[in-house]
């Protein structure tokens, strides 16, 4: 997708702080972190949102979650983490390329207790 921000980040056309990359997945630090550790994990394949996942492209999502497990070890997130996907307008999705937020290094338990 020519005009997609995250396609451009994955292609290196827009700079980002890369933390992980493989053939199918790219991961980088969020520009506006919501936790002490906040990364964005994307499939390199352009999928607009979680609502567009189907039998033909779901392997890209499996690859993202395999990457998340590797990143958690690489970044020493042994205390745990939260993975978030925002989908669509009411879900708060602002970039129309499927992505997963990886948040860590503070207590994210909800409800708190
Ligand atoms: P969404 O709100 O769609 O779930 O998440 C989009 C995320 O991308 C936001 O957390 C936002 O801070 C992040 N973001 C938007 N533009 C950029 C950018 O140019 N670089 C980086 N590193 N993150 C971005
Ligand atoms: Zn894209």
């Amino acid at each position: 997708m020519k005009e997609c921000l995250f396609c451009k980040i994955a292609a290196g056309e827009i700079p980002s702080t890369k933390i992980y990359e493989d053939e199918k997945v790219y991961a980088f630090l969020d520009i506006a972190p919501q936790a002490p550790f906040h990364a964005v994990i994307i499939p390199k394949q352009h999928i607009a949102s979680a609502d567009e996942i189907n039998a033909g492209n779901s392997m890209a999502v499996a690859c993202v979650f395999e990457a998340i497990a590797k990143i958690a070890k690489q970044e020493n997130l042994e205390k745990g983490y939260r993975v978030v996907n925002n989908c669509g307008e009411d879900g708060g999705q602002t970039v129309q390329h499927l992505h997963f937020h990886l948040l860590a290094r503070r207590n994210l338990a909800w409800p708190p207790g």
Side-chain angles (χ1 to χ4, degrees):
M1 277 281 288
K2 253 177 142 186
E3 291 315 313
C4 171
L5 173 66
F6 284 177
C7 281
K8 287 183 177 175
I9 284 179
E13 291 164 19
I14 290 175
S16 67
T17 305
K18 178 169 89 174
I19 59 161
Y20 176 85
E21 182 174 15
D22 64 34
E23 193 192 335
K24 302 279 186 199
V25 176
Y26 190 87
F28 54 100
L29 295 182
D30 197 290
I31 205 168
Q34 303 300 309
F37 180 87
H38 184 174
V40 178
I41 326 298
I42 67 172
K44 289 183 175 175
Q45 178 183 356
H46 182 86
I47 300 169
S49 79
D51 211 35
E52 302 292 321
I53 297 166
N54 56 47
N57 63 20
S58 60
M59 189 51 68
V61 182
C63 291
V64 163
F65 276 83
E66 287 182 34
I68 287 171
K70 289 180 191 166
I71 292 164
K73 290 168 186 71
Q74 171 190 301
E75 301 293 331
N76 301 310
L77 305 181
E78 61 282 334
K79 279 194 81 180
Y81 49 88
R82 176 173 293 166
V83 179
V84 174
N85 170 257
N86 298 325
C87 180
E89 190 181 349
D90 280 0
Q93 183 178 3
T94 60
V95 178
Q96 310 310 313
H97 179 128
L98 179 66
H99 56 280
F100 296 85
H101 299 263
L102 176 58
L103 302 149
R105 299 213 181 102
R106 72 171 162 85
N107 189 342
L108 295 153
W110 186 86

